[in-house]
Amino acid sequence: MSETNPAATSEVAAPHRYTAATAAEIEARWQDFWDAEGTYAAPNPKGDLAGAPEIAARPKKFIMDMFPYPSGAGLHVGHPLGYIATDVFARFQRMTGHNVLHTLGFDAFGLPAEQYAVQTGTHPRVSTEANMENMKSQLRRLGLGHDNRRSFATIDPDYYKWTQWIFLQIFNSWYDHDARRARPIAELVAEFESGERPVPGHTRAWSELSAAEKADVLGEFRLAYASDAPVNWCPGLGTVLANEEVTAEGRSERGNFPVFKAKLRQWNMRITAYADRLLDDLEELDWPEAIKLQQRNWIGRSEGARVDFPIDGERITVFTTRPDTLFGATYMVLAPEHPLVEKFTPAAWPEGTHEVWTGGHATPAEAVAAYRAQAAAKSDVERQAEAKDKTGVFIGAYATNPVNGEQVPVFIADYVLMGYGTGAIMAVPAGDQRDFEFARAFELPITCIVEPTDGRSTDTSTWENAFSSYDAKIINSSNDEVSLDGLGVVEAKARITEWLESKGVGEGTVNFRLRDWLFSRQRYWGEPFPIVYDEDGIAHALPESMLPLELPEVEDYSPRTFDPDDADTQPETPLSRNEDWVNVTLDLGDGPKKYRRETNTMPNWAGSCWYELRYLDPHNSDKLVDPEIEQYWMGPREGQPHGGVDLYVGGAEHAVLHLLYARFWSKVLYDLGHVSSAEPFHKLFNQGMIQAYVYRDSRGIAVPAAEVEERDGAYYYQGEKVSRLLGKMGKSLKNAVTPDEICAEYGADTLRLYEMAMGPLDVSRPWDTRAVVGQFRLLQRLWRNIVDEETGEVTVVDAEPDEETLRALHKAIDGVRGDLEGMRFNTAIAKVTELNNHLTKAGGAVPRSVAEPLVLMVAPLAPHIAEELWRKLGHTDSVVHQDFPVADPRYVVDETVTCVVQVKGKVKARLEVSPSISEDELEKVALADEKVVAALGGAGIRKVIVRAPKLVNIVPA
């Protein structure tokens, strides 16, 4: 900033003026005081963090920010927006009688630190801890009121011990669909042993199965399980990715590398078991509707029927939302990865196979192999795109349509995904455009099964596209036992589903788009799995006494990466190179044996799935969380039937991934009796983004924003004209402004006020460094209204304020209280500014009875200057725990309001009337006004419209 910056100016004539230097001294001193006094310590009802019982007896508020990742670049001014907002809200809640838990930890495992380690040879822990210290310093400077006793990082072994413990709870559980909850796997084993539950896939008793067979059976039930499954393999990163980490273009979200389909053995979480509950419980959450909609769409519930198509003595099962169209199914399509493809692919083409079905290959096996390789190079998004040319190949086998006995050819095609439904579809080309285009391309029959309502005939050879309508009647759909002809869609669905169930070839069912959560990463910097494998490859859980399983030291942190375009590669994990760690002899209760450790690590989402619980009871080494403490802070209560955090603030970019995963973990822990809250976060608020202008030269390269000059509406960097576009703020875009800069130039309180005053919290807004000074001037005027800039003495007086000032004060109190409660921080600041300006214009000394409430209103927003002024006003206790002012209702309502009187739509008079005046009284007053009488000129009155107390509209006859 320039030397004329009012914040930096030190005027000899005003030695006690509020300047940047004053702000820096005040802020550092009060931050030290708060730390020393434990001002923000929130007492638990019991345990090592128990405190004053009278505070713990207050109503609680648990306020959280989304877990920050400690980046090496540090914070720019966009990052603290949410942190400042939650701090303001938390401070207000303390002042309105609540016990407030507000703290902040660090989500510190993950790819950035590992990549930095690969580049520099610095251990990820070293760089991550250094980044955390820098971030803690930056956040402390903002005056955030965190209970630092509760802070932690996910990389602390004391923390990830419990992440591993939760994984084992999930591993050792299964979902009982009848009871609609998770149960211990031991209870399932007991049912198998007693014969109460038949052993699926076996005719032998449970006791007759081998250990490997038992492990395979239980793997089909466990909520955490390993399986050979299609995964998103990213050679450029050397790791597999969850569906949610792959972009719409089929590339990795991090690094933008190509992603391929591969089959690997990976850990998964059976989140699909909870699909219904994840959907149903959204209703009671206080979340933005847009976020709820994204979760509903991701879960993707659809009702329909499961239908079995017989083939070679077995069956192919499909899920369809339109079982009423079964008579129009003229072929089937399997996903290229479908496990039944090999089983039903014959050695030679059946006699009379259409040439266009073979793809030009001599045998079905060759055709299938070639097409599978082609499909593996595409992402799921690419495969589902509306491609002009439909591709596929006949596998050489026919299935039977169960409703009419017709033989239908079975194809593989990339537009069918293994991850949705059963990985198989019945194709009804008359009613589905993709099926129609495929049928045309492969010269397959198209049967009209819905009476067209758009004028076309039932002769499908004349059609140019498919036809589907929920309002049309079903036709050409009957056999000797059931007829759908003439029925509407809803009735036809019910009738054919009933028939399928009676024949044992199908049933009504519900399907979900949601897939199980891929939980393995081929990385080093993550939580090790508490799993070992015996010599038969059977997975065993480590006992709790062996937790935490700490991450070992390795010389090479990098997973083996490959040519980004080479799909024919396999993961090689960093941990697999540490032979002494991988191969161990352990006694798991049946004597010392040799085991091999799992060498994948957990994904970066693991630590953030449960961190809200650790904030409650952060030093507990015996339990995940003390039940009484969890019940106190997060248990269900009126208005929060599923419990959870009272306010959770963060970016909308976590709408699906983090929020869905955390909800799943909460529900498992709830089912198993470890917590009383079935949902982690009751109220969710998404803050907007602070944006900044990006300036680019003729090459499109970003140039330093701070060095750009504006001349005649154009922008120049070093004499060259540059373009300007509003976008993100970041180091790489050379437009980042750090909070340290603003704090140095104006002070943290000014930065806090500016970020809160920029606009509504949930709306993105552009940063303008030049506008920051406006909030600094507000603080200077506030200071000047209470402190003499010459002497430093307080200037307030004990005189009674005049009525105008009383009204200004109590209106401000009423408005600011409502705005802070509603998180409308920008309008709260506007009301404080209005009151402060009133006092400045009034001149003279400010009455103490006005100055003190003003300081208390400012305290949540600008806590350092408020604490200083509170002390100067003669108080010895902190402003943090003072009661927020309460408005006197007598002064909140205006003594009079202005009523506009219109005659023939034109304003003819303005009346000062009581706000509580009745409509009848207001009409009489208006009609008696001399200006109104003159305007009417003796004319009669046809109608009088009264909107008390502000409007009267008179319509002459």
Side-chain angles (χ1 to χ4, degrees):
M1 300 296 288
S2 68
E3 291 183 2
T4 57
N5 170 13
T9 303
S10 177
E11 299 182 23
V12 176
H16 295 280
R17 190 181 187 195
Y18 185 81
T19 64
T22 309
E25 187 276 326
I26 289 172
E27 289 166 2
R29 177 158 43 81
W30 283 110
Q31 287 160 18
D32 289 343
F33 173 86
W34 294 330
D35 283 351
E37 295 295 316
T39 301
Y40 304 109
N44 278 346
K46 61 181 293 191
D48 68 315
L49 297 185
E54 66 274 12
I55 297 178
R58 295 174 180 174
K60 62 89 189 182
K61 283 287 181 190
F62 185 5
I63 298 166
M64 268 180 64
D65 301 278
M66 286 191 182
F67 235 0
Y69 187 86
S71 163
L75 299 176
H76 59 63
V77 292
H79 291 125
L81 178 67
Y83 305 148
I84 295 170
T86 53
D87 186 61
V88 172
F89 189 71
R91 289 174 179 277
F92 173 71
Q93 293 297 327
R94 287 189 193 94
M95 295 178 76
T96 52
H98 293 84
N99 182 19
V100 177
L101 194 168
H102 188 216
T103 189
L104 196 70
F106 296 92
D107 192 10
F109 276 126
L111 202 53
E114 186 173 287
Q115 288 177 323
Y116 185 75
V118 171
Q119 294 164 7
T120 64
T122 307
H123 193 285
R125 179 176 288 278
V126 173
S127 60
T128 301
E129 288 181 344
N131 294 342
M132 282 193 291
E133 288 307 310
N134 179 51
M135 191 168 171
K136 285 177 184 177
S137 174
Q138 287 185 298
L139 292 172
R140 184 179 188 272
R141 194 169 183 182
L142 297 173
L144 302 178
H146 293 148
D147 183 347
N148 291 321
R149 305 171 306 163
R150 299 175 183 266
S151 187
F152 55 80
T154 55
I155 59 175
D156 299 340
D158 285 348
Y159 180 83
Y160 70 73
K161 164 189 175 178
W162 295 104
T163 308
Q164 292 170 337
W165 182 88
I166 296 171
F167 173 84
L168 292 179
Q169 306 312 300
I170 300 172
F171 173 73
N172 284 320
S173 300
W174 63 292
Y175 196 80
D176 184 337
H177 287 277
D178 293 332
R180 292 197 82 214
R181 66 178 181 86
R183 293 172 56 194
I185 202 78
E187 295 179 8
L188 179 65
V189 171
E191 291 182 10
F192 288 148
E193 287 176 337
S194 68
E196 178 185 344
R197 181 184 292 267
V199 181
H202 292 275
T203 56
R204 290 172 292 152
W206 180 257
S207 60
E208 297 173 358
L209 301 184
S210 68
E213 287 173 322
K214 289 178 179 178
D216 287 343
V217 170
L218 294 180
E220 295 299 315
F221 287 85
R222 291 186 189 274
L223 288 177
Y225 64 95
S227 69
D228 293 316
V231 296
N232 301 305
W233 166 236
C234 181
L237 288 175
T239 189
V240 298
L241 302 172
N243 290 337
E244 298 88 346
E245 295 170 307
V246 182
T247 68
E249 291 73 36
R251 303 178 76 86
S252 61
E253 192 174 53
R254 186 176 292 278
N256 198 37
F257 292 110
V259 176
F260 304 94
K261 281 295 179 186
K263 186 170 274 192
L264 298 170
R265 189 157 189 83
Q266 301 289 305
W267 282 98
N268 297 271
M269 292 277 180
R270 207 178 300 275
I271 191 173
T272 50
Y274 282 83
D276 262 328
R277 284 171 61 187
L278 289 168
L279 201 58
D280 294 344
D281 290 354
L282 277 173
E283 298 306 317
E284 299 288 350
L285 300 182
D286 185 4
W287 287 16
E289 201 53 45
I291 301 295
K292 288 186 178 183
L293 181 61
Q294 287 184 67
Q295 292 230 340
R296 290 188 189 106
N297 289 342
W298 194 264
I299 296 167
R301 186 182 192 276
S302 53
E303 293 186 12
R306 174 187 59 75
V307 184
D308 296 333
F309 282 68
I311 178 171
D312 294 346
E314 297 192 46
R315 67 189 178 189
I316 296 174
T317 300
V318 303
F319 170 81
T320 176
T321 59
R322 293 293 304 274
D324 55 299
T325 66
L326 255 169
F327 286 91
T330 58
Y331 66 98
M332 297 190 74
V333 182
L334 302 181
E337 310 87 353
H338 201 295
L340 293 179
V341 173
E342 290 97 336
K343 178 177 283 191
F344 298 132
T345 300
W349 294 115
E351 187 176 343
T353 296
H354 200 317
E355 187 176 343
V356 74
W357 295 2
T358 68
H361 294 280
T363 67
E366 291 175 30
V368 167
Y371 191 79
R372 278 181 154 178
Q374 175 186 327
K378 295 182 180 180
S379 71
D380 287 356
V381 174
E382 289 176 303
R383 285 170 56 170
Q384 290 193 299
E386 294 295 333
K388 185 177 180 182
D389 298 321
K390 289 292 180 282
T391 64
V393 69
F394 178 48
I395 70 168
Y398 290 84
T400 303
N401 186 327
V403 296
N404 56 22
E406 291 184 5
Q407 295 295 288
V408 294
V410 181
F411 287 77
I412 56 173
D414 61 12
Y415 75 90
V416 176
L417 303 178
M418 193 63 222
Y420 182 74
T422 63
I425 67 163
M426 61 174 211
V428 182
D432 180 274
Q433 188 60 29
R434 288 186 307 175
D435 294 348
F436 181 90
E437 291 169 1
F438 191 94
R440 283 281 192 257
F442 288 88
E443 301 177 18
L444 291 157
I446 300 174
T447 302
C448 179
I449 36 80
V450 175
E451 191 172 74
T453 57
D454 60 356
R456 71 177 78 186
S457 76
T458 58
D459 179 4
T460 60
S461 65
T462 65
W463 290 11
E464 295 182 1
N465 51 37
F467 173 78
S468 180
S469 172
Y470 262 75
D471 298 324
K473 299 296 184 185
I474 305 296
I475 59 174
N476 299 327
S477 299
S478 64
N479 59 30
D480 292 341
E481 298 178 351
V482 65
S483 175
L484 309 183
D485 293 341
L487 299 181
V489 170
V490 174
E491 191 178 353
K493 277 186 179 183
R495 183 170 296 183
I496 194 64
T497 300
E498 183 181 356
W499 184 84
L500 290 168
E501 290 176 345
S502 72
K503 292 295 181 182
V505 292
E507 64 178 351
T509 188
V510 174
N511 195 53
F512 294 91
R513 178 180 179 269
L514 181 68
R515 298 298 91 200
D516 280 344
W517 171 17
L518 179 69
F519 200 70
S520 294
R521 296 297 181 273
Q522 291 67 49
R523 314 295 313 191
Y524 167 70
W525 194 232
E527 298 92 341
F529 281 93
I531 294 288
V532 292
Y533 299 92
D534 63 23
E535 293 176 330
D536 296 321
I538 299 171
H540 297 266
L542 290 182
E544 187 177 331
S545 61
M546 292 186 182
L547 301 182
L549 173 59
E550 295 199 29
L551 197 61
E553 298 291 327
V554 298
E555 293 182 5
D556 182 3
Y557 311 114
S558 58
R560 185 181 175 193
T561 57
F562 303 88
D563 179 333
D565 296 306
D566 188 356
D568 296 323
T569 48
Q570 290 277 322
E572 179 187 295
T573 63
L575 290 180
S576 65
R577 303 182 197 120
N578 189 329
E579 291 288 334
D580 292 340
W581 184 82
V582 173
N583 298 303
V584 291
T585 299
L586 301 172
D587 186 348
L588 301 184
D590 52 356
K593 293 182 180 178
K594 291 182 179 180
Y595 295 96
R596 177 178 54 83
R597 295 196 191 279
E598 172 63 71
T599 62
N600 287 317
T601 52
M602 298 186 199
N604 60 300
W605 308 106
S608 61
C609 276
W610 72 280
Y611 70 121
E612 70 284 353
L613 297 172
R614 193 62 175 173
Y615 283 152
L616 309 182
D617 197 10
H619 311 133
N620 197 329
S621 58
D622 299 322
K623 289 182 179 178
L624 177 73
V625 59
D626 183 282
E628 186 179 335
I629 294 173
E630 187 272 338
Q631 172 74 43
Y632 173 85
W633 289 110
M634 289 186 64
R637 61 205 65 219
E638 187 177 353
Q640 298 181 18
H642 302 304
V645 173
D646 296 290
L647 175 66
Y648 193 39
V649 175
E653 65 271 17
H654 296 293
V656 173
L657 300 175
H658 158 59
L659 291 173
L660 203 58
Y661 297 158
R663 295 182 64 214
F664 166 56
W665 277 37
S666 282
K667 291 186 182 306
V668 177
L669 291 172
Y670 171 78
D671 286 354
L672 298 176
H674 299 300
V675 297
S676 66
S677 47
E679 286 283 344
F681 314 116
H682 172 70
K683 181 178 176 65
L684 175 69
F685 189 98
N686 297 128
Q687 86 271 19
M689 183 187 299
I690 289 184
Q691 300 169 303
Y693 287 107
V694 183
Y695 299 89
R696 297 185 185 275
D697 61 21
S698 57
R699 301 165 297 168
I701 296 174
V703 301
E707 299 175 32
V708 172
E709 297 178 352
E710 181 180 356
R711 297 200 300 267
D712 301 323
Y715 302 93
Y716 297 86
Y717 172 68
Q718 296 182 349
E720 179 193 348
K721 193 172 182 179
V722 294
S723 65
R724 183 179 85 153
L725 189 68
L726 191 62
K728 287 185 176 182
M729 182 180 285
K731 193 174 180 182
S732 63
L733 298 173
K734 298 183 180 177
N735 63 355
V737 178
T738 69
D740 308 61
E741 295 172 58
I742 303 301
C743 288
E745 292 165 354
Y746 293 107
D749 280 338
T750 294
L751 173 61
R752 291 170 61 103
L753 281 177
Y754 177 66
E755 294 214 0
M756 294 299 96
M758 289 171 76
L761 184 60
D762 58 348
V763 175
S764 294
R765 72 293 302 270
W767 176 267
D768 183 359
T769 298
R770 294 169 300 179
V772 177
V773 69
Q775 298 307 317
F776 180 74
R777 288 181 176 136
L778 165 62
L779 295 181
Q780 285 187 310
R781 287 192 294 271
L782 171 66
W783 181 269
R784 198 178 297 125
N785 278 329
I786 296 174
V787 177
D788 188 305
E789 292 183 336
E790 296 292 338
T791 65
E793 296 300 316
V794 169
T795 58
V796 300
V797 294
D798 291 329
E800 287 297 314
D802 58 45
E803 184 156 330
E804 185 182 359
T805 298
L806 277 173
R807 291 194 179 279
L809 170 65
H810 288 282
K811 281 185 180 180
I813 292 171
D814 183 63
V816 171
R817 176 182 276 268
D819 287 344
L820 292 180
E821 184 65 56
M823 300 179 72
R824 299 182 296 272
F825 304 128
N826 58 320
T827 55
I829 292 169
K831 291 178 175 71
V832 167
T833 304
E834 187 177 348
L835 174 61
N836 198 49
N837 289 345
H838 168 84
L839 297 176
T840 301
K841 289 174 186 173
V846 175
R848 176 178 289 275
S849 60
V850 177
E852 291 192 350
L854 175 58
V855 170
L856 293 173
M857 280 188 278
V858 168
L861 296 152
H864 307 91
I865 192 173
E867 194 77 88
E868 183 73 7
L869 291 173
W870 190 249
R871 187 59 59 97
K872 283 182 176 294
L873 285 165
H875 301 281
T876 57
D877 47 357
S878 170
V879 76
V880 171
H881 294 289
Q882 300 305 308
D883 290 338
F884 198 84
V886 177
D888 186 332
R890 292 177 300 167
Y891 298 109
V892 172
V893 178
D894 287 329
E895 192 171 17
T896 63
V897 296
T898 301
C899 174
V900 173
V901 184
Q902 298 176 332
V903 178
K904 288 199 287 190
K906 294 184 179 179
V907 177
K908 296 299 180 182
R910 286 183 169 84
L911 311 175
E912 294 299 316
V913 299
S914 166
S916 59
I917 191 170
S918 69
E919 292 191 351
D920 288 344
E921 182 65 24
L922 184 56
E923 181 178 338
K924 291 176 184 176
V925 172
L927 292 175
D929 184 82
E930 60 183 24
K931 292 179 182 176
V932 174
V933 171
L936 287 170
I941 298 171
R942 182 158 59 90
K943 185 191 294 184
V944 179
I945 302 166
V946 182
R947 299 286 183 267
K950 293 189 175 181
L951 177 67
V952 177
N953 192 4
I954 302 170
V955 182

